[in-house]
């Protein structure tokens, strides 16, 4: 019996992970697609005049089984993949793409949608109008008005793209997993924190290398190594391995794949009447047009680059003074900046980590959500999960009503891609007056516990957890009618606001006192340590700002021009990034070949949105600071903004929350990049 093809007889109708096998996916997808096509056929064969209910709402409700299968499959392919799942993906993804095209290129269906769109809309409410506009524009943006010949071209492009993006991600994961730095001389561990050394010994034991230490390119291993290792030649080796992922002469090279992805996206945009992929993408963004993004990035660069240059000069002088190199290389930056930060602010991760036991940080994020929004989290042992490390919760509202299911998956493993993300297994929606509540998940790669220590997070990992938890709250508190407008289904340059704003609470003593206690003594994090932490928050912010602008610029370079002219990926990237490179380029390294956000994820022509949303989050948190970080009135207004999802244009939502548009200078104020002249 295929578990996808029957009602889930599980707690809260959650995915029955313990029953799902690899062999279930393709048969389930086949049946789900057949059912989805039948549901569309019922719409097109309806003899009644097209209405919002019998066409737009009916289309919105169709394909539920397809979504059910796809959400489980793609989430597992990111968080718990294996060779078999990756093999299935090569069939699964094209079939799903073809199904989507069959709907969006269905002429009879489009005629009905168009008829509703062109009819009188005065009887529709704001949310219905938004769904109608999104549906109609979706058809237009996906080729509904193309000739049959061009529709065939579009199908071919979409099918090829679906396979290429999977292949890109598989190569990055393989390159990440293949590298090991094996250390058998204890002297080569000099400078590394005790917990990192212990974790490396356990990794070695897991890999059959007892008595040695193994470091990998997984973030919890890689980042501490290049930050603390006294062995410059080993930091160089790790940095070069990380920077050259999928850019070597081997089977995992992504250069031709990413060129092909960028070219196909360009051709697709041209086919649909747009100048390029960025113009196509930004039509559905707050930024609206590539020129506006470029102006935004240039303004940020103008503010950040002078500070970044000064920071690198200061770091170089510090390194030379302390017996280091006369020129800072990329494998030196984290190492010396950590030492300089410690000297300036007397604070580092080793001092902070004892106060950030993972379980306490999780509990702290829950307490913040309760204080702000009245929601509570209750661990449930009866919800099935896809890996033993996953923790499952029921979320309840202030009246103790069921609000959502929440999955949390925190530790790295070979079947999980790097980074951190939020996702869902079921979106919130309302059907026949019944509020269907969501199933939300966050996936991270944090420092694992060892035999002698619990999982103690770096401060960056703490902010990462709060960031992803902010995304989760966006999904958890959704209150829309339609799944496609619910939760995080908002403009892409708005989606980072609820996540990024949550990071601000991590710097406030009032918040930290809820959970930041020494894991051995129970002592609260000292006030003076929090002050030093806040003072250090803008340390190297100029450099970090320039780096983020560089990544966003690289994204726009691939997607706001014609990539068919790119012959050499490395030379092209070097040229694009020359204005944002504050350190010498590393031979053999390439950002594009492992830039999964834009070539595998959904951030193509959208990486700028991190900085765009930072403007919003800095401005929003200033409001909390003015009134109190747990102020009930401000929190209620922000909850309204979050729960609305995509039912209202984000600019309008923000104005309703703040009473005005966001002040761009709020970001520069927080980052310490605003000069007195600029403020005036």
């Amino acid at each position: 019996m295929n578990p996808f093809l029957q009602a889930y007889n599980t707690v809260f109708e959650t995915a029955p992970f313990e029953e799902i096998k690899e062999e279930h996916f393709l048969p389930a997808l086949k049946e789900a697609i057949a059912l989805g096509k039948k549901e569309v056929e019922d719409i097109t064969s309806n003899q009644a005049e097209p209405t919002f209910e019998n066409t737009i709402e009916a289309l919105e409700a169709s394909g539920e089984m397809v979504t059910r299968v796809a959400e489980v499959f793609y989430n597992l392919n990111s968080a718990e993949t294996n060779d078999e799942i990756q093999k299935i993906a090569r069939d699964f993804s094209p079939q799903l793409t073809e199904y989507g095209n069959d709907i969006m290129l269905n002429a009879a269906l489009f005629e009905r949608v168009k008829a509703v769109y062109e009819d009188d809309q005065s009887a529709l409410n704001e949310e219905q109008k938004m769904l109608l506009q999104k549906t109609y524009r979706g058809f237009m943006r996906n080729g509904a008005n193309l000739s049959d010949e061009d529709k065939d071209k579009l199908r071919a492009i979409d099918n090829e793209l679906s396979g290429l993006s999977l292949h890109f991600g598989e190569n990055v994961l393989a390159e990440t997993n293949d590298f090991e730095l094996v250390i058998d001389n204890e002297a080569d561990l000099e400078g590394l924190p005790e917990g990192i050394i212990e974790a490396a010994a356990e990794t070695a034991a897991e890999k059959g290398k007892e008595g040695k230490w193994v470091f990998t390119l997984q973030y919890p291993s890689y980042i501490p190594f290049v930050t603390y290792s006294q062995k410059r030649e080993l930091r160089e080796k790790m940095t070069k391995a990380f920077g050259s992922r999928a850019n070597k002469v081997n089977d995992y090279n992504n250069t031709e794949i990413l060129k092909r992805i960028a070219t196909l996206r360009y051709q697709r945009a041209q086919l649909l009447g747009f100048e390029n992929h960025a113009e196509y993408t930004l039509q559905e963004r707050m930024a609206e047009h590539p020129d506006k993004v470029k102006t935004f990035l240039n303004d940020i660069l103008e503010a950040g680059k002078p500070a970044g240059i000064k920071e690198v000069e200061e770091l170089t002088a510090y390194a030379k003074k302390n017996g280091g190199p006369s020129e800072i290389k990329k494998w030196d930056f984290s190492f010396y900046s950590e030492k300089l930060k410690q000297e300036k602010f007397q604070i580092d991760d080793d001092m902070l980590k004892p106060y950030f036991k993972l379980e306490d940080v999780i509990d702290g994020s829950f307490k913040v959500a309760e204080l702000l929004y009245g929601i509570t989290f209750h661990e449930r042992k009866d919800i099935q999960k896809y890996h033993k490390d996953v923790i499952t919760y029921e979320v309840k509202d202030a009246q103790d009503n069921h609000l959502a299911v929440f999955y949390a998956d925190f530790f790295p493993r070979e079947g999980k891609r790097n980074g951190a993300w939020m996702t869902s297994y079921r979106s919130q929606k309302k059907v026949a007056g019944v509020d269907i509540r969501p199933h939300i998940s966050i996936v991270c790669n944090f420092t694992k516990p060892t035999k002698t220590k619990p999982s103690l997070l770096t401060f960056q990992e703490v902010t990462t957890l709060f960031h992803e938890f902010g995304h989760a709250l966006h999904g958890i508190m959704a209150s829309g009618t339609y799944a496609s407008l619910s939760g995080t289904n908002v403009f892409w340059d708005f989606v980072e606001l609820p996540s990024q704003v949550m990071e601000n609470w991590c710097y406030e003593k009032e918040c930290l006192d809820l959970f930041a206690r020494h894991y051995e003594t129970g002592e609260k994090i000292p006030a003076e340590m929090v002050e030093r932490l806040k003072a250090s928050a803008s340390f190297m912010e100029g450099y970090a700002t320039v780096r983020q602008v560089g990544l966003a610029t690289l994204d726009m370079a691939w997607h706001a021009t014609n990539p068919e002219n790119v012959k050499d990926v490395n030379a092209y990237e070097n040229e694009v990034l020359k204005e944002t490179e504050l350190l010498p380029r590393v031979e053999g390294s390439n950002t594009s070949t492992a830039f999964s956000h834009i070539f595998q994820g959904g951030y193509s022509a959208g990486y700028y949105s991190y900085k765009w949303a930072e403007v919003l989050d800095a401005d929003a948190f200033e409001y909390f600071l003015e009134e109190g970080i747990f102020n009930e009135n401000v929190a209620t207004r922000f909850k309204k903004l979050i729960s609305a999802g995509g039912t209202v244009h984000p600019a309008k939502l923000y104005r309703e929350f703040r009473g005005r548009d966001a002040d761009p200078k709020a970001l520069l104020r927080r980052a310490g990049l605003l000069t007195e002249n600029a403020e005036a």
Side-chain angles (χ1 to χ4, degrees):
M1 187 72 74
N2 193 316
F4 288 116
L5 302 178
Q6 53 190 317
Y8 287 169
N9 187 26
T10 51
V11 181
F12 306 121
E13 298 178 339
T14 48
F17 290 112
E18 294 167 14
E19 303 161 33
I20 294 170
K21 311 297 181 192
E22 280 92 346
E23 59 265 26
H24 291 143
F25 286 113
L26 288 175
L29 181 66
K30 183 178 180 181
E31 287 208 34
I33 285 175
L35 177 60
K37 287 182 175 180
K38 174 65 169 59
E39 290 165 343
V40 170
E41 186 181 330
D42 288 344
I43 297 171
T44 57
S45 62
N46 190 337
Q47 297 302 305
E49 287 293 312
T51 65
F52 181 82
E53 291 76 16
N54 70 21
T55 300
I56 306 302
E57 283 191 330
L59 180 59
E60 169 74 10
S62 70
E64 183 177 342
M65 184 72 74
V66 175
T67 301
R68 170 195 277 199
V69 180
E71 284 181 335
V72 170
F73 180 77
Y74 283 118
N75 282 324
L76 289 185
N77 195 32
S78 291
E80 184 59 12
T81 195
N82 55 43
D83 290 343
E84 183 61 25
I85 288 178
Q86 291 185 7
K87 181 182 176 184
I88 292 168
R90 292 172 197 134
D91 287 331
F92 194 99
S93 193
Q95 287 186 45
L96 196 60
T97 300
E98 186 68 20
Y99 167 71
N101 279 330
D102 283 344
I103 293 173
M104 301 313 288
L105 299 176
N106 185 317
L109 181 60
F110 176 59
E111 284 306 310
R112 292 186 67 90
V113 170
K114 185 178 180 183
V116 178
Y117 183 77
E118 293 177 346
D119 199 10
D120 179 20
Q121 299 180 17
S122 60
L124 302 180
N125 62 34
E126 190 171 22
E127 187 174 1
Q128 290 170 329
K129 288 177 181 176
M130 183 67 79
L131 179 65
L132 176 56
Q133 181 187 57
K134 183 176 180 179
T135 304
Y136 176 74
R137 186 176 279 186
F139 275 89
M140 294 293 289
R141 287 169 55 80
N142 285 281
N145 270 343
L146 295 179
S147 66
D148 289 343
E149 181 183 354
D150 284 344
K151 284 180 179 178
D152 288 341
K153 289 180 183 177
L154 189 72
R155 285 179 183 274
I157 288 172
D158 286 345
N159 284 336
E160 188 175 352
L161 277 172
S162 68
L164 287 170
S165 63
L166 283 170
H167 195 181
F168 182 96
E170 289 168 3
N171 285 347
V172 175
L173 182 62
E175 283 274 76
T176 301
N177 287 337
D178 276 6
F179 177 85
E180 293 178 1
L181 176 66
V182 181
I183 290 178
D184 50 21
N185 182 355
E186 194 167 357
D188 287 338
L189 301 172
E190 185 183 359
L192 294 170
E194 179 187 336
I196 300 302
I197 293 173
E198 188 177 355
E202 291 187 6
T203 300
E206 290 168 4
K207 294 177 177 289
K209 297 180 172 72
E210 288 280 358
K212 299 183 180 183
W213 298 267
V214 171
F215 295 89
T216 72
L217 298 183
Q218 298 284 357
Y219 287 146
S221 181
Y222 171 74
I223 298 295
F225 192 92
V226 296
T227 302
Y228 296 107
S229 173
Q230 294 278 2
K231 300 296 181 180
R232 189 176 190 231
E233 69 278 8
L234 295 182
R235 296 200 312 268
E236 179 180 355
K237 185 174 183 180
M238 287 284 277
T239 302
K240 286 183 172 179
F242 190 87
S244 62
R245 287 176 302 158
N247 191 42
K248 304 179 188 72
V249 182
N250 61 19
D251 291 341
Y252 304 133
N253 188 288
N254 269 340
T255 53
E256 293 305 314
I257 291 174
L258 74 87
K259 279 168 60 178
R260 184 63 178 159
I261 290 173
T263 296
L264 288 172
R265 286 172 175 169
Y266 173 78
Q267 292 174 352
R268 188 182 192 279
Q270 290 255 306
L271 197 61
L272 293 168
F274 295 88
E275 185 66 28
N276 49 56
H277 178 71
E279 186 180 289
Y280 166 82
T281 298
L282 292 166
Q283 186 189 55
E284 294 282 276
R285 301 287 192 267
M286 292 179 76
E288 299 173 332
H289 193 274
D291 290 345
K292 194 170 180 179
V293 172
K294 291 172 184 175
T295 299
F296 170 73
L297 293 175
N298 285 336
D299 289 345
I300 297 291
L301 184 62
E302 188 177 324
K305 190 170 181 179
I309 291 171
K310 285 183 180 178
E311 289 164 358
V312 172
E313 289 173 349
E314 180 186 16
L315 196 63
T316 302
Y318 174 80
K320 288 168 67 176
K321 177 184 172 184
N322 288 275
S326 58
E327 182 182 41
I328 292 288
K329 298 292 182 70
K330 292 210 170 169
W331 48 85
D332 300 314
F333 184 83
S334 295
F335 178 76
Y336 284 105
S337 61
E338 181 65 23
K339 287 189 173 301
L340 179 57
K341 184 173 81 170
Q342 190 172 349
E343 183 176 295
K344 276 189 163 189
F345 305 103
Q346 291 82 53
I347 197 162
D348 64 15
D349 276 334
D350 261 7
M351 296 168 61
L352 291 167
K353 284 172 69 174
Y355 296 95
F356 295 131
K357 180 182 173 183
L358 173 60
E359 291 79 1
D360 293 342
V361 180
I362 296 168
D363 185 54
S365 67
F366 292 168
K367 286 177 180 174
V368 170
E370 183 174 6
L371 285 169
L372 288 171
Y373 310 120
I375 65 176
T376 54
F377 291 74
H378 309 267
E379 187 173 356
R380 297 285 299 249
K381 303 286 189 181
D382 53 351
I383 296 173
Q384 294 188 30
K385 46 196 181 184
Y386 56 86
H387 190 275
K388 62 181 177 61
D389 287 349
V390 177
I391 312 170
T392 49
Y393 302 88
E394 178 187 5
V395 190
K396 294 185 177 182
D397 66 15
Q399 288 73 46
D400 210 35
N401 299 312
H402 174 76
L403 193 62
V405 170
F406 178 59
Y407 300 84
D409 181 0
F410 291 121
F411 302 125
R413 51 183 177 267
E414 289 198 354
K416 183 196 285 189
R417 65 177 170 91
N418 252 334
W421 62 94
M422 167 268 181
T423 185
S424 70
Y425 290 96
R426 185 173 80 179
S427 296
Q428 181 271 335
K429 62 183 176 181
K430 293 173 184 172
V431 179
V434 177
D435 193 356
I436 308 297
R437 299 311 302 169
H439 301 163
I440 303 298
S441 174
I442 62 172
V443 187
C444 305
N445 283 277
F446 292 152
T447 306
K448 296 175 76 170
T450 65
K451 291 175 183 176
T452 64
K453 285 186 174 65
S455 175
L456 301 176
L457 304 188
T458 66
F459 186 70
Q460 184 177 12
E461 289 176 325
V462 173
T463 58
T464 295
L465 192 153
F466 268 68
H467 178 105
E468 299 307 332
F469 187 63
H471 279 310
L473 291 174
H474 201 176
I476 286 168
M477 296 194 294
S479 62
T481 303
Y482 307 110
S484 66
L485 298 178
S486 177
T488 57
N489 289 313
V490 298
F491 281 5
W492 205 266
D493 44 10
F494 189 70
V495 77
E496 293 297 334
L497 168 60
S499 56
Q500 289 180 185
V501 78
M502 283 297 294
E503 297 179 34
N504 292 279
W505 272 265
C506 300
Y507 293 90
E508 301 299 321
K509 184 71 161 63
E510 186 180 352
C511 171
L512 291 171
D513 280 347
L514 299 173
F515 65 91
R517 288 177 170 78
H518 197 286
Y519 79 102
E520 290 178 317
T521 67
E523 171 201 11
K524 284 185 179 181
I525 189 167
E528 49 88 19
M529 190 179 286
V530 177
E531 286 306 308
R532 296 202 304 269
L533 177 64
K534 290 183 75 169
S536 69
S538 59
F539 178 68
M540 293 292 164
E541 187 61 34
Y543 178 88
T545 295
V546 173
R547 180 180 177 276
Q548 281 293 100
V549 170
L551 291 170
T553 301
L554 183 61
D555 172 28
M556 294 304 290
W558 281 115
H559 294 116
T561 57
N562 180 0
E564 294 172 330
N565 301 323
V566 176
K567 305 302 180 191
D568 185 322
V569 169
N570 291 294
Y572 182 66
E573 178 171 302
N574 288 345
E575 179 64 23
V576 169
L577 293 179
K578 66 182 181 181
E579 290 301 315
T580 57
E581 286 285 14
L582 300 181
L583 298 174
R585 293 281 287 173
V586 179
E587 187 177 350
S589 70
N590 189 283
T591 298
S592 301
T593 55
F595 204 166
S596 297
H597 270 76
I598 67 170
F599 290 115
Q600 183 190 11
Y603 279 85
S604 61
Y607 200 83
Y608 75 92
S609 62
Y610 281 105
K611 277 295 172 193
W612 186 277
E614 270 192 60
V615 170
L616 299 175
D617 99 67
D619 186 69
F621 195 66
E622 280 189 354
Y623 192 11
F624 277 100
L625 288 173
E626 290 162 9
E627 304 295 330
I629 64 170
F630 293 115
N631 180 273
E632 184 178 352
N633 175 54
V634 181
T636 299
R637 293 168 71 96
F638 197 73
K639 181 180 179 180
K640 183 180 178 183
L641 176 149
I642 291 178
S643 61
T647 61
V648 181
H649 193 283
K652 181 179 179 182
L653 277 177
Y654 194 84
R655 281 193 293 271
E656 289 177 354
F657 161 68
R658 196 66 164 102
R660 56 166 173 75
D661 290 330
D663 178 5
K665 292 179 181 176
L667 170 61
L668 302 178
R669 281 193 291 271
R670 184 177 66 187
L673 299 175
L674 196 61
T675 64
E676 290 183 13
N677 289 339
E679 183 70 79

